[in-house]
Each structure stands twice: as structure tokens, then as C-alpha cells.
Amino acid sequence: MKKHILIIIVLALYTPLLFGIDYSRNFNYISKEDGLSQNYIGAIVQDKKGLMWFGTMDGLNCYNGYDFKVFYSNPNDVTTISCNQIKKLVLGKDGSIWVGTYNGLNRYDPSTNKFKRYPILSPTARKNEINCLYIDKEGFVWFCYTDDECLICLNPITGKLSFFKIPAYHDTRKSSSTIPKRATYSIFSLIETHDNKYWLGTGEGTLLLFDKRSKKFTQTIVIDPISQIYNLAEIDNDNLCIGTYPSGLYFYSTKNNKRSPAYNFNSKDKSLLNFYWDIVKGPDGKIWLGTLESGIFKLDIKNKRLDQIAFTLPTDSRIIKRGVCSIFFDKSGLLWCGTSGYGLFNMIPSSNQFNTLNQSIKWTTERFTSNDFELYASLTSDFKQNALSFQSVRSIYANNDFIWVGGYSGLDKIDRKTGIIKVLDDKIIPYDRKS
């Protein structure tokens, strides 16, 4: 039976939003069985020929709509990618693919089918892991390393490098001393807005504004001092959407220099909107949010409505409602969603065709609150199915009585006598970003 949930929330910068849920079967599903090198998809991009590229933790995948070609690192061949663990993918103005990995920056040249490695380190770099990667309107490549003190700009034509010192601050969170420790902001996200301004989200919950002309950081804005800003998106000419962890979603007015309250709906053992892996503005102006716990959401600012779209596996009616860590709209308007262990889903977001789930499933309504707001969501059911709670199996351990199976976002125990499967933990997340 199709269910809807509604909530009215009042934003400081926006009028009330409605909150709903749709269970989508109007999608295609692609997994490792179809040729993906791995079901964890952390980054997505489309090249100028229309080919789709997917970054996983085990290789870079190129998809032509029928088959996959996987690019792996070869330590004995410098024309291969430097690392199999992919974090970021962006398209260059010349049609090349820029790849940020756990071991440096790479550029794929489609004319030669080879990679160029960029062993660039700033004077303060502690490791070679790319934490942020962006190409601006002029084609310049901007990136940061994890735990580095510099924002780096690369001119891909001349090879010229520019290093910009990231502002320091007095850290009162990490020091046990009564004297605040001087530290440098860590950059997690970067966007260029319509007015050619560069906004950077930090791991310390602060927005930084960078002026490319003066080559200086000109503004520091504290959004939430106990959170990390993982993603930014420009809603319109005056407002930003900010995804944080663990405080949830914020809106910031660049015109009035004001931010909204945090929107994070929690129960005792669940967090519905507290972590955003990806935030993307769609072709129709709607904002799409990929979350850690609750799948993908569509935010319609004009109609003040927020809808959750919960995908199901093609083999049964289990809902894949969390772990959407990458979102991308291709040239045709098709929406691609990369998950943390369940492979790829794609759909036409404008079709608005949603089918009902098996009517034998009884959905349990749960109550979530955020400040003085309430949210009622159908997130669990009493539907009992003799199947694993996850799609991708990573490890198995057995004795004479039980079999323990570990996978993406789950740990299950199977009774060898009865065949009954018990979910022991449904919050295990692979490839922790903090590790």
C-alpha cells in the first residue's frame, strides 16, 4: 500500500516545507553482476561522448550503456591510474576526466586512453589523499589534500601551480588544554557560484569565501561549530544549501548573511537527516540530497516540499533507503544514484511514476522530532523475509550452530538448523570517511 508522510517545517529563510515519501520502482538497477568492479559508487561523471564514469573503491569504471571497462592501477606503469580507490571525478573543459584518489590526482586523456599522474604536494601536505576536487568555469583545477593547509590551483594548459594558505583558527574542540590550539581549516567541499565567488565548506563547520581576483580568503562564516560541512549547492542567486554531519541541513542567505536553523530528525536509534553525502541541483531547479541513513531526497523549494525516494532491490521488496553517496544528472536528464554497497540506480525524475509495494507489508509509523518540529515516517515494517538485509556480502564466519555474514551496512546471523536470519547490526558503514 502506498504511504505518504507530511510535515510542515518553518525555515528562517523559507516558508514551510512538506515532507513525503515515495517508493520508486521506475528505475534501472546495475550492480557488480552486470560488470561493475564494485558496488560502492563514490563518484559519478559523464564525458563529452556520453560515456558514464563511476569511481569505486576498487577501480574506475567506464560504462557505454551495455558494457563496463574497468581501469586499475599498475605500479609498474605510470600511464595507469595512481590508485584504485576513487574519491572524486570531474570533467575537464577539454573532455578529459580528472580523478581524485586516495593516492593523488590523475587526468585521463580519452584520445590516448592513458592517465597522467600529478605528484603535486603542497609545502604543508601530510598525505596524498585528495579531499576536494573542482574545475571552475575557466577550466582551472582546484583541489585540497586531507589534513593540508593549502588550497591548490592548477592551470591544466600551462601546468602552473598556485598555493593559497587556508585561514587558521583557534581550535577549542580538539585540545585538552585551556589554551585554544591554533589550527587550519580542513576543506571538504568547494563550489563556484553564479557571481564567480568560491565557497568552501570545512570540517570545522565553517564556510570560507575565496576571492579569485585578489587571491585571498575574504570571509569566514561559522555555520555550526560542532559539525562538518560535507556538501554545498547553490539554490538560487542568493541562497546556498549546506549539508553537514551530524547536525543536518542548513540554508544560508549570501545576500543577508543569515543561516536557517538546522534540520535533523532523530529518534533514539535513527537519524533521518543528519548526514549528506552529496547535494546536487537538478535541471529543473530541484535539489537532490543523498544521505547516509535515509536514501535520496528531492527538495522542491518552489512548492516547499521534501520527498524521500526509497529504491527497492529488483529481487524483492526490501527498501534501499540509505547509503546514496553520489548523485549525477546526465545530458538526457537521467538521474544516477551511486550507493554504498548496493550498486547503481538510475531513473527519470520527471516521470513521477511510482508503483506501490507489496500490500502484505505493514508499515510502522515512527515519530521524529527536531526542535519544535515533528515528523512521522514509515521507515520500518513487520515484513519478515528469509533473506539477508544487504546485497553485497563481504565476509562469512561459521560454526556448528550459526553462520555470521557481514556486508555493506549490515551484519546478519543465520541459524543453521532453522534457517532463520536475524539482523544483528544494520548500521555498519564501509570505508569510513574518517579513516
Side-chain angles (χ1 to χ4, degrees):
M1 183 178 295
K2 187 173 182 178
K3 299 290 185 181
H4 290 280
I5 54 176
L6 298 176
I7 183 171
I8 297 178
I9 58 179
V10 181
L11 294 173
L13 307 178
Y14 304 91
T15 52
L17 294 171
L18 297 175
F19 188 96
I21 185 168
D22 278 305
Y23 303 109
S24 174
R25 289 239 180 123
N26 184 41
F27 61 83
N28 294 315
Y29 176 62
I30 303 171
S31 69
K32 190 173 181 180
E33 286 70 23
D34 300 300
L36 270 172
S37 64
Q38 194 191 49
N39 281 335
Y40 180 99
I41 316 297
I44 306 173
V45 77
Q46 185 179 32
D47 66 21
K48 290 189 174 182
K49 295 181 180 179
L51 300 175
M52 298 299 301
W53 295 77
F54 308 109
T56 76
M57 289 293 176
D58 188 25
L60 177 63
N61 294 243
C62 180
Y63 183 57
N64 63 9
Y66 301 95
D67 304 300
F68 283 91
K69 181 177 181 179
V70 184
F71 296 89
Y72 291 106
S73 176
N74 182 346
N76 298 318
D77 185 355
V78 295
T79 65
T80 63
I81 195 168
S82 63
C83 179
N84 290 331
Q85 295 177 305
I86 314 300
K87 292 191 70 174
K88 305 291 182 181
L89 292 174
V90 290
L91 179 66
K93 292 194 72 174
D94 62 352
S96 59
I97 304 292
W98 290 84
V99 188
T101 76
Y102 278 77
N103 186 31
L105 181 67
N106 301 256
R107 175 183 174 271
Y108 171 76
D109 186 342
S111 64
T112 63
N113 201 37
K114 295 181 179 180
F115 291 84
K116 180 179 179 180
R117 302 178 183 181
Y118 289 82
I120 301 168
L121 287 178
S122 74
T124 55
R126 299 178 180 87
K127 58 179 67 174
N128 208 22
E129 178 185 339
I130 300 292
N131 210 38
C132 177
L133 179 61
Y134 184 81
I135 294 183
D136 67 17
K137 298 172 185 177
E138 297 182 87
F140 289 93
V141 182
W142 297 80
F143 60 101
C144 292
Y145 292 107
T146 301
D147 298 327
D148 193 13
E149 298 178 9
C150 286
L151 171 65
I152 306 172
C153 179
L154 168 66
N155 185 326
I157 298 176
T158 65
K160 180 182 177 181
L161 287 167
S162 300
F163 299 91
F164 304 99
K165 187 72 185 307
I166 299 170
Y169 71 103
H170 293 292
D171 187 1
T172 59
R173 300 185 303 177
K174 301 177 182 179
S175 176
S176 58
S177 172
T178 56
I179 302 175
K181 181 182 178 181
R182 189 172 175 82
T184 302
Y185 290 109
S186 53
I187 308 301
F188 281 15
S189 54
L190 186 157
I191 62 169
E192 181 183 10
T193 50
H194 72 284
D195 51 2
N196 301 318
K197 292 182 178 179
Y198 292 74
W199 293 89
L200 295 86
T202 73
E204 292 73 29
T206 298
L207 276 180
L208 303 178
L209 181 59
F210 181 78
D211 187 339
K212 185 178 178 180
R213 292 183 179 180
S214 66
K215 300 180 180 180
K216 294 180 180 179
F217 288 91
T218 59
Q219 199 171 354
T220 301
I221 303 149
V222 177
I223 299 298
D224 189 330
I226 64 169
S227 290
Q228 299 170 321
I229 299 176
Y230 274 88
N231 283 284
L232 299 169
E234 186 178 22
I235 297 175
D236 52 40
N237 289 349
D238 298 322
N239 297 286
L240 300 178
C241 183
I242 304 171
T244 75
Y245 175 79
S247 296
L249 193 67
Y250 286 94
F251 299 94
Y252 179 75
S253 170
T254 57
K255 181 179 180 180
N256 301 320
N257 295 321
K258 293 181 179 180
R259 69 160 175 80
S260 73
Y263 289 90
N264 181 1
F265 302 92
N266 298 319
S267 68
K268 293 182 179 179
D269 60 347
K270 291 181 183 291
S271 294
L272 183 60
L273 295 173
N274 77 326
F275 184 96
Y276 294 89
W277 248 327
D278 206 0
I279 301 179
V280 173
K281 186 175 182 179
D284 58 356
K286 295 181 176 62
I287 305 298
W288 293 76
L289 313 168
T291 71
L292 174 71
E293 290 284 333
S294 306
I296 188 169
F297 288 80
K298 178 178 64 176
L299 175 61
D300 187 340
I301 295 295
K302 182 179 179 180
N303 295 314
K304 316 304 177 188
R305 183 180 178 91
L306 184 64
D307 291 290
Q308 181 190 40
I309 296 180
F311 298 113
T312 59
L313 292 173
T315 53
D316 54 56
S317 295
R318 287 175 290 161
I319 290 181
I320 307 304
K321 59 180 179 294
R322 62 180 185 178
V324 175
C325 48
S326 54
I327 305 171
F328 186 86
F329 284 90
D330 68 19
K331 297 173 185 177
S332 69
L334 194 68
L335 171 64
W336 295 81
C337 301
T339 70
S340 59
Y342 296 96
L344 280 163
F345 294 89
N346 63 42
M347 61 175 289
I348 303 173
S350 59
S351 63
N352 293 322
Q353 296 177 8
F354 299 102
N355 296 328
T356 58
L357 290 176
N358 189 319
Q359 293 186 2
S360 64
I361 302 177
K362 297 179 181 179
W363 294 94
T364 302
T365 300
E366 300 180 43
R367 179 177 179 271
F368 296 84
T369 62
S370 177
N371 299 321
D372 56 343
F373 304 132
E374 293 183 343
L375 180 148
Y376 294 88
S378 297
L379 299 178
T380 60
S381 73
D382 59 3
F383 178 64
K384 304 298 183 183
Q385 180 169 311
N386 197 29
L388 295 173
S389 62
F390 42 83
Q391 177 79 354
S392 178
V393 175
R394 303 296 291 173
S395 59
I396 299 174
Y397 175 79
N399 61 20
N400 292 332
D401 299 317
F402 300 100
I403 302 173
W404 288 265
V405 184
Y408 283 114
S409 303
L411 175 63
D412 294 356
K413 184 174 73 171
I414 306 171
D415 190 313
R416 303 185 72 157
K417 293 181 180 178
T418 65
I420 295 175
I421 300 176
K422 181 179 180 181
V423 179
L424 299 180
D425 194 326
D426 64 353
K427 293 188 178 300
I428 294 177
I429 305 299
Y431 303 113
D432 186 355
R433 286 180 165 232
K434 296 180 181 180
S435 63

